[in-house]
Amino acid sequence: MRPAALRLEGVSKRYGRVLAVEDVSLAIAEGEFFTLLGPSGSGKTTLLRLIAGFEHPDTGRIELAGKDVTAVPPYARATNTVFQDYALFPHMTVAANVEYGLKVRQLPREERRRRVAEGLAMVRLAGLGYRRPSQLSGGQRQRVALARAIVNQPEVLLLDEPLGALDLKLRVEMQVELKRIQRELGITFIYVTHDQDEALTMSDRVAVLNGGRIEQLGSPVDLYERPANEFVAGFIGVSNVIERDGQRLVIRPERIRILRPEEAPDIGSQVEDGLVQDVIYAGMVTRYAVQLDRGGRLLVVQQNTESAAHASDLRGRRVRLAWRPEQVFNISAPQSDRPEPKGNA
Amino acid sequence: MTVGALARERPAGRVTRVQALLWRRPWMRAALLLGPGLTWFVVIYLASLVLLLITAFWQINPFTTAIERVWNIDNFRTLVTDGTYRLIILRTIGLAAAVTITDAVLAFPFAYYMARVASRRVQTALFAAVLLPLWASYLARVYAWILILNHDGVLNWSLLLLHLPPASLGYTNWAMWIVFSYIWLPFMIIPTYAALERIPPSYLEAAADLGARQGRVTWDVILPLALPGIVAGSIFTFSLTLGDYVTPLLVGGAGSSFIGNVVYGNVGIAHNIPFAAALAVVPVAVMALYLVGARRLGAFEAM
């Protein structure tokens, strides 16, 4: 069996009284797009910095391609980082920035030139090598930072919220770009973000972090369809939790149907009555907030396959909601149900 | 016009009229704000510089020492041809350069520690340590150095205790170099510190991430980005040394005259003000050249 590209064993890091990362263990396969997802302060960036070597763990082991690198300084690790603020050297041209890592490693000039050209072409910036970072747009700087990291052909590429500073349209564009580059290069990506959409669309697997611990680790489908607990259910997707018979249940909003007055539910469906409190038209979909008679509130999302001009008529009306029982997930307390936060790679 | 519109109109008082005028004519506002300072600068500073330059092309009657307004360049010719003056000019510029380099070398690691290593409290303490000497009189500090460097001063006394041969540094160019370097050091540390503090830590991490060890990071990233600050500091150390005449007088030896000392001698003793003016033009010209160079290196953005 090939060794994992990266393995963490019982890694903890404490800043004063704050436990930033608590006993994290995971294994990431070679060529995997792995995302660390969590709110700010969840320890995801600290975890990335531990992997890069900018921080030293208090306990635990970090292995890169089967080698223990826990005590190896960042300049000797086979990782490269794309920083949140890009950290491009302002006194160097774009080409000199991209070349820097190759120059430090004393590669021959010809090879350096070739790799810089390849790197810039890969991020679609060919021909801009002579510019200074200050003469580039935010999206272009982001690409330079990416090129500067990938030309070194790292074992693992670390990305610290690289798209955080870009506007939405550019962000979606770059998500596609990143995924393409990752596929073409076959490099292992470890991607830090607080954006669940980004995590779900790009990743092979996602580790959801909260308070320095891994809450759940799995594929995007696992996380969305089978959230392990209320935190994951709420952080990924909309928190649609109701309490029935002492059990806390999650139902994803697009799995709920609003029945027409005379319509009978499908056989085996669960049905509850409620009052539509609010209707929000959002173009592609319409969202309904429904207060249930048995207590609790559910958000329902419906595709606007036909004109939704009459959707707002439902405001203040009584409706009947229906969903299939297999779409309901029980996230009540028993922590033993929680899947082991270990990689299955 | 309706009644409502009338009610909303403010009475056009004197103040609002002036404000409106200033708003319509931005140059008036600029004149009002810059006027006092600019007047001072033009009348006192630039005018005296121009007078200095003009006087430099006059001469004195060698018998009556009266100024004769005859245009000539004899003063400058003497400066270039007379070996004594050439030596003094070169000594002044050379020592100013030596002091500047010394201060840059001393200040960089110190400022680096202050900006990037020290904790908040240590940083404050170091700041105080750097700035505190500036509270004491310049003269007091120079005299303190005389007590240290004198033949039977603290330095030789310490050397004697260590069974080392005495060093006779007092009243030499070495003494001037030491005293100048000490006195102007804070003016180099502060701008260097400011430049170092502005370098985002992620730049250093990025360099390390790309394989550079500490020495390489310092050379490739920290030094180039701190250079404007160092050059800004060097403007102070260089110009302050260039124009000084007290330290050469007090710690320098017999053959340690600076341009300033000769200017002083020509004004006070020889009464040859045109020649003093010509000599005084030298540091002004040198500084002008220096500032052009400093601007190229981005020193003005760092101030």
Side-chain angles (χ1 to χ4, degrees):
Chain A
M1 200 186 106
R2 278 202 303 183
L6 176 82
R7 185 186 297 279
L8 302 181
E9 274 170 30
V11 171
S12 295
K13 176 72 187 175
R14 184 185 282 280
Y15 295 112
R17 275 193 206 145
V18 183
L19 202 53
V21 170
E22 189 182 353
D23 192 28
V24 167
S25 297
L26 54 83
I28 297 168
E30 232 180 86
E32 194 174 8
F33 198 122
F34 191 92
T35 297
L36 299 168
L37 174 68
S40 56
S42 62
K44 56 191 192 302
T45 294
T46 305
L47 200 52
L48 200 79
R49 293 175 59 80
L50 286 164
I51 298 167
F54 302 136
E55 308 283 349
H56 192 77
D58 297 329
T59 61
R61 242 168 92 86
I62 300 169
E63 267 178 34
L64 262 171
K67 273 179 299 201
D68 183 358
V69 296
T70 316
V72 174
Y75 59 77
R77 286 195 193 191
T79 57
N80 282 117
T81 309
V82 176
F83 290 84
Q84 192 169 10
D85 62 354
Y86 314 145
L88 299 177
F89 305 129
H91 58 296
M92 297 183 195
T93 62
V94 165
N97 264 285
V98 176
E99 191 187 2
Y100 188 74
L102 308 172
K103 212 166 170 179
V104 169
R105 289 192 346 221
Q106 297 177 336
L107 265 64
R109 179 188 285 264
E110 269 317 301
E111 166 146 24
R112 286 192 330 238
R113 202 172 286 166
R114 185 178 57 76
R115 283 222 223 161
V116 168
E118 276 174 16
L120 286 176
M122 173 70 78
V123 298
R124 300 178 201 271
L125 283 181
L128 292 186
Y130 63 92
R131 289 215 193 158
R132 296 268 166 171
S134 58
Q135 296 168 309
L136 301 180
S137 70
Q140 288 173 324
R141 283 180 211 180
Q142 215 288 312
R143 287 156 190 266
V144 176
L146 186 63
R148 184 175 68 173
I150 59 177
V151 290
N152 301 291
Q153 301 168 347
E155 197 73 48
V156 174
L157 184 71
L158 308 170
L159 302 104
D160 186 7
E161 308 221 17
L163 309 183
L166 305 181
D167 60 57
L168 183 65
K169 215 170 157 187
L170 206 52
R171 204 153 70 214
V172 173
E173 228 175 273
M174 277 308 291
Q175 284 174 16
V176 178
E177 284 281 270
L178 276 174
K179 195 67 191 167
R180 170 183 67 84
I181 289 166
Q182 196 255 344
R183 256 198 316 272
E184 280 176 28
L185 296 175
I187 296 178
T188 311
F189 275 37
I190 301 181
Y191 192 97
V192 161
T193 184
H194 63 262
D195 183 331
Q196 43 132 337
D197 285 333
E198 219 164 86
L200 293 184
T201 43
M202 300 170 79
S203 322
D204 295 320
R205 283 193 307 153
V206 180
V208 182
L209 281 137
N210 183 33
R213 296 178 63 92
I214 295 183
E215 294 279 352
Q216 189 175 359
L217 192 155
S219 69
V221 176
D222 284 340
L223 298 182
Y224 189 75
E225 312 240 321
R226 290 178 290 280
N229 54 45
E230 188 155 353
F231 177 81
V232 177
F235 196 71
I236 296 179
V238 182
S239 176
N240 240 4
V241 181
I242 51 172
E243 212 171 321
R244 291 289 177 267
D245 312 324
Q247 305 282 307
R248 294 182 68 74
L249 310 171
V250 178
I251 314 162
R252 293 301 185 192
E254 71 281 4
R255 310 286 161 84
I256 303 170
R257 289 193 55 213
I258 299 175
L259 299 179
R260 271 161 290 156
E262 67 286 4
E263 191 181 357
D266 293 341
I267 296 158
S269 287
Q270 293 175 350
V271 174
E272 283 207 25
D273 292 322
L275 181 77
V276 178
Q277 284 182 320
D278 212 348
V279 180
I280 300 153
Y281 176 71
M284 205 188 296
V285 296
T286 303
R287 299 195 183 90
Y288 304 85
V290 179
Q291 181 68 45
L292 297 174
D293 294 349
R294 289 180 64 196
R297 214 167 94 112
L298 281 180
L299 196 74
V300 182
V301 173
Q302 300 230 303
Q303 285 274 333
N304 292 329
T305 45
E306 286 156 46
S307 168
H310 304 294
S312 57
D313 294 354
L314 277 179
R315 197 191 309 258
R317 297 269 283 275
R318 295 194 53 80
V319 290
R320 172 163 287 191
L321 303 181
W323 56 81
R324 303 197 57 81
E326 64 267 25
Q327 305 287 13
V328 179
F329 292 95
N330 192 336
I331 51 165
S332 311
Q335 289 289 309
S336 54
D337 283 353
R338 208 168 127 175
E340 197 55 22
K342 277 262 164 72
N344 52 3
Chain B
M1 210 182 255
T2 66
V3 181
L6 276 175
R8 248 181 283 126
E9 243 172 55
R10 288 260 220 82
R14 190 186 301 239
V15 175
T16 47
R17 258 208 305 272
V18 170
Q19 278 175 341
L21 190 68
L22 289 178
W23 180 74
R24 277 199 310 272
R25 307 238 187 286
W27 63 267
M28 273 190 174
R29 197 167 38 174
L32 212 65
L33 289 171
L34 297 178
L38 222 52
T39 310
W40 183 270
F41 183 74
V42 170
V43 171
I44 309 291
Y45 189 72
L46 286 185
S48 51
L49 263 185
V50 170
L51 276 178
L52 179 83
L53 200 63
I54 292 172
T55 316
F57 291 97
W58 291 342
Q59 62 181 37
I60 57 162
N61 186 313
F63 301 109
T64 60
T65 71
I67 294 174
E68 294 176 341
R69 298 177 182 186
V70 184
W71 294 92
N72 66 86
I73 55 162
D74 286 357
N75 291 329
F76 291 101
R77 193 171 291 144
T78 313
L79 284 182
V80 180
T81 52
D82 191 323
T84 319
Y85 295 121
R86 226 168 36 214
L87 181 69
I88 287 167
I89 291 170
L90 288 179
R91 177 191 297 135
T92 309
I93 295 172
L95 209 67
V99 167
T100 298
I101 293 167
T102 310
D103 278 348
V105 170
L106 292 176
F108 184 78
F110 193 94
Y112 181 85
Y113 185 85
M114 272 173 78
R116 308 221 70 105
V117 184
S119 67
R120 259 267 172 276
R121 271 175 65 181
V122 175
Q123 204 178 47
T124 312
L126 289 177
F127 247 116
V130 169
L131 295 177
L132 215 56
L134 299 181
W135 291 18
S137 150
Y138 170 95
L139 275 179
R141 285 182 293 150
V142 174
Y143 273 117
W145 273 102
I146 293 174
L147 291 179
I148 295 170
L149 298 173
N150 249 351
H151 188 65
D152 30 278
V154 178
L155 177 69
N156 277 343
W157 180 67
S158 311
L159 287 173
L160 207 65
L161 278 184
L162 296 166
H163 301 289
L164 290 168
S168 42
L169 288 177
Y171 309 113
T172 62
N173 286 348
W174 290 107
M176 286 205 291
W177 173 64
I178 291 171
V179 174
F180 273 133
S181 298
Y182 159 76
I183 286 183
W184 308 139
L185 187 58
F187 296 95
M188 181 64 92
I189 290 179
I190 299 303
T192 306
Y193 163 83
L196 284 169
E197 219 223 354
R198 277 199 302 216
I199 303 175
S202 65
Y203 288 9
L204 314 186
E205 286 178 353
D209 188 66
L210 293 164
R213 288 157 193 259
Q214 186 59 50
R216 192 82 205 249
V217 177
T218 306
W219 186 254
D220 288 345
V221 180
I222 299 175
L223 211 51
L225 292 177
L227 191 65
I230 297 170
V231 175
S234 80
I235 293 173
F236 295 121
T237 57
F238 191 77
S239 69
L240 288 170
T241 311
L242 209 61
D244 200 277
Y245 68 98
V246 176
T247 297
L249 199 67
L250 295 179
V251 269
S256 298
S257 282
F258 262 36
I259 294 173
N261 301 97
V262 181
V263 170
Y264 178 77
N266 272 291
V267 172
I269 301 155
H271 276 295
N272 191 345
I273 288 174
F275 186 70
L279 203 52
V281 167
V282 174
V284 174
V286 170
M287 257 343 274
L289 285 176
Y290 196 91
L291 288 175
V292 170
R295 210 183 102 101
R296 287 251 175 105
L297 291 169
F300 297 133
E301 283 81 21
M303 282 212 258

